[in-house]
Every structure is written in C-alpha cells, then in structure tokens.
Amino acid sequence: MTNAASALRRAAGRRARGVKILVAATLIATPLVGTASPAMADGGQQPQVDLKYYENEADIRAAMQRWAPAAEDGSVDGSVMGYPQVEQNLTLADVKKTYDPEQAIKDAVVAAQKYADNDKNTEPLRESARKLVNGWPDAGTPKGNDVRQNTKDNALDGGQTAEQYCNMVNKDGASASFGQTAPCVFVGKIANPATDQWPVRAERGASAGVDKTTVKISAAVTDEKSTTEGWTAGGKITPKVGDGKSEVAGEISFAYNYASTFTRRVTSTDEINLELAPQGTKQVSAEARANGAVYTGYIVLRGPTESGQRLVAIPAKAFVQSPDSGQPVTWIKRVKS
C-alpha cells in the first residue's frame, strides 16, 4: 500500500457489513445548568425535567439553551465526523436556500482541522481528519469540488457509496494507516430555529376537568454504534409518555448523531411519574424536547475519486445531539392556552 487512500480502498473490499464504530471523543460528565438537576436512581438515570411551568415559547427556548445549548450557526459546532444518520432525502436546491455548498466545503475543512488539533481524539482518527484538510501527498492535484444533486446521489468511484466509504476502517496491522478511516464530515446550519432547535418529540396533556394528572415519562436509546473502530456514530431515541395503564402515547423515535466536539453519551432514562397540575383555568402537558437541533447541510468527503483528492459535497439533513447534554430529551411542563 502506497498511501492511506489505497489502504482504505483495499480495506473496503473486505469490509464486513455493519462496521463497529469507535467512540472517537473522550466522554465528559460535567453537570448541566438548568432548573432541575437529574438525579440517579438504582435502575438508571431519572429523566431530565424542568420543574417550571411554561406558557411562552420564548421562555422555553431560553430554558432549553441552558439545558442543551444549540449553535445558531451549526457549520462547526453542528459537525459530525463520518457519515451521519440522515433524516430525509434533500435536493441541492433545498439546501442551498440555507447553506452554500462551497462555503460548506470550507467549513468542513475547518471542522476537520479542529478535530485533528484536539489531542483528546485518537491519533489514527486525527490523521484521518488531516486527510480531509490536506489530502494525500502522492494522489495528484485536485480537479475541483464535486457537489451532488441530492442525498441519494452518493455513488463514488470503484462502486462504493459514500456511506460505505465513510464507515470503513483500515484493519491491516502492517499498514502505516492502520486504524484510520475515510476522511468524511457532515456540516450543517439550522435552517429554521423555530422548528429545528429542540424539536418536540412527544407530548401528552392533562385530562380536562381534573385537578391533577400523573403521567409516566421515560426515554429509550437503542441501536447505538459506539464500540471500537471508526468515527463516533449515534443511535435512536424514543421518548415515551403515557398514563401507565393504556398503550404509551405520543412516542416518536428519531435518530441522533454525536457532535464532532466533545460530547456526553446519550443515556436511556427510567420511567418515573410526573405530576401535571392545572395553572389557574389552563391545563398543562408534558412535552419532550430533543436535546439538540436538526442541521441542514452537506456530507463532505475527500475521495475515492479519479484523482484521489477531490472533495465531494452531498446534501443531507441530520439531528445532532448538543455536546453539553448527556440526556436524550428534556421534559417541559407546557401550559396549554
């Protein structure tokens, strides 16, 4: 193998489906700032609940900024190393309304350099990030950027898809690039803060005509890919709210991605009772706000292309967990008008 690019391409040929993903960032466990600190229970972690009653959306958003900060401009803070779990198929025209692809490519280089400069990340992955910034020294001169037309337009040279390429890891112990993975990063911006920041993922209201209502709340984290090799990934979150008797109501599963900056692992929570009391003559509801934001942007990767150096930008939308939040959702007591 003459360089990291050829090593990765050879590794791809024998790559098993479902490559295990490495936790590429050191996990931190500093406490959140908010109105109520989550307590620990014998069976796990209690759900994160804001104990105030909120009627104004602006006040809720201010509270969520404390619980799970989300950047207004997600070009770097909203970045994800590797190929993210995308929310939907987007066209280039859709994304360009929010984010110019050439600017996104520049921002992807900045995000990769920031990752490479962080000595808390493992050296093979730091070197992988450097390859997105600088390319391979013997792979030729870049021939301009390649901007794709939609999320599914992701075929690369050699018959691979971008997802296959970004998820592979060099396992050849004799190679100088052992442990490296493909240089890929997602960068995005928040297109519509009103809906994309801390989106509502579950809700259940109090019954009319009663003094108080008790609901049961919890959140499950599943399909997490986080073990030994490659870029950090994410998983699926299912917040649940019900009355403890009937089928759980209002649950919406959604995929999440870890930010490329330091991040706290998303944690499943135990089921607990949450009391909802009417506020004057107004009823209230329990509302699960996702701890992060949906970013509209591009998956940017270097190679494999004919020159080995060309940067490819693929339109995509992905939910990114707030790096400062280790919980999947924050439960808000919402006053209903």
Side-chain angles (χ1 to χ4, degrees), residues 12-280:
R14 55 183 181 269
R15 169 183 172 272
R17 194 175 185 86
V19 172
K20 293 181 179 180
I21 305 298
L22 171 70
V23 178
T26 301
L27 302 178
I28 59 176
T30 54
L32 292 174
V33 176
T35 58
S37 298
M40 297 299 293
D42 291 340
Q45 191 168 22
Q46 290 191 7
Q48 182 169 285
V49 181
D50 195 316
L51 300 179
K52 290 181 61 177
Y53 284 93
Y54 290 96
E55 185 169 6
N56 185 286
E57 177 66 19
D59 292 338
I60 293 177
R61 294 176 62 79
M64 288 303 301
Q65 184 64 35
R66 296 191 300 271
W67 286 111
E72 290 291 342
D73 179 351
S75 57
V76 174
D77 291 339
S79 64
V80 175
M81 302 307 296
Y83 196 99
Q85 300 187 74
V86 298
E87 288 221 333
Q88 65 188 73
N89 182 42
L90 291 183
T91 68
L92 178 60
D94 292 332
V95 183
K96 286 179 73 173
K97 296 174 184 177
T98 299
Y99 205 178
D100 177 75
E102 295 299 327
Q103 182 60 50
I105 289 172
K106 295 176 183 178
D107 291 340
V109 171
V110 171
Q113 185 65 62
K114 184 176 180 180
Y115 186 93
D117 291 342
N118 191 333
D119 61 8
K120 300 296 184 182
N121 298 323
T122 63
E123 182 53 38
L125 295 181
R126 293 174 70 190
E127 182 59 28
S128 300
R130 293 185 194 107
K131 290 297 188 294
L132 192 137
V133 177
N134 301 315
W136 292 272
D138 55 350
T141 302
K143 297 179 180 179
N145 299 324
D146 178 5
V147 179
R148 299 301 177 87
Q149 293 303 304
N150 56 66
T151 309
K152 295 182 179 180
D153 182 13
N154 66 353
L156 303 176
D157 295 344
Q160 284 180 292
T161 66
E163 184 172 11
Q164 290 170 330
Y165 174 67
C166 293
N167 285 340
M168 67 184 183
V169 180
N170 188 340
K171 298 181 181 180
D172 184 351
S175 170
S177 58
F178 173 70
Q180 293 180 26
T181 187
C184 307
V185 61
F186 168 79
V187 289
K189 292 187 177 182
I190 298 172
N192 186 347
T195 57
D196 291 345
Q197 284 181 315
W198 315 295
V200 178
R201 297 302 192 187
E203 182 181 11
R204 187 179 182 108
S207 301
V210 297
D211 291 334
K212 294 181 180 180
T213 296
T214 298
V215 297
K216 294 182 179 295
I217 59 172
S218 64
V221 176
T222 58
D223 301 329
E224 187 174 4
K225 300 184 175 81
S226 61
T227 49
T228 58
E229 298 165 359
W231 299 118
T232 300
K236 183 179 291 185
I237 297 168
T238 305
K240 299 181 179 182
V241 55
D243 60 10
K245 300 175 183 177
S246 60
E247 193 75 17
V248 172
E251 63 180 68
I252 301 176
S253 295
F254 62 101
Y256 71 93
N257 298 279
Y258 283 123
S260 61
T261 52
F262 283 143
T263 194
R264 299 175 64 193
R265 183 181 301 280
V266 172
T267 306
S268 293
T269 61
D270 290 338
E271 183 180 75
I272 65 167
N273 292 328
L274 179 64
E275 184 179 89
L276 301 175
Q279 300 298 290

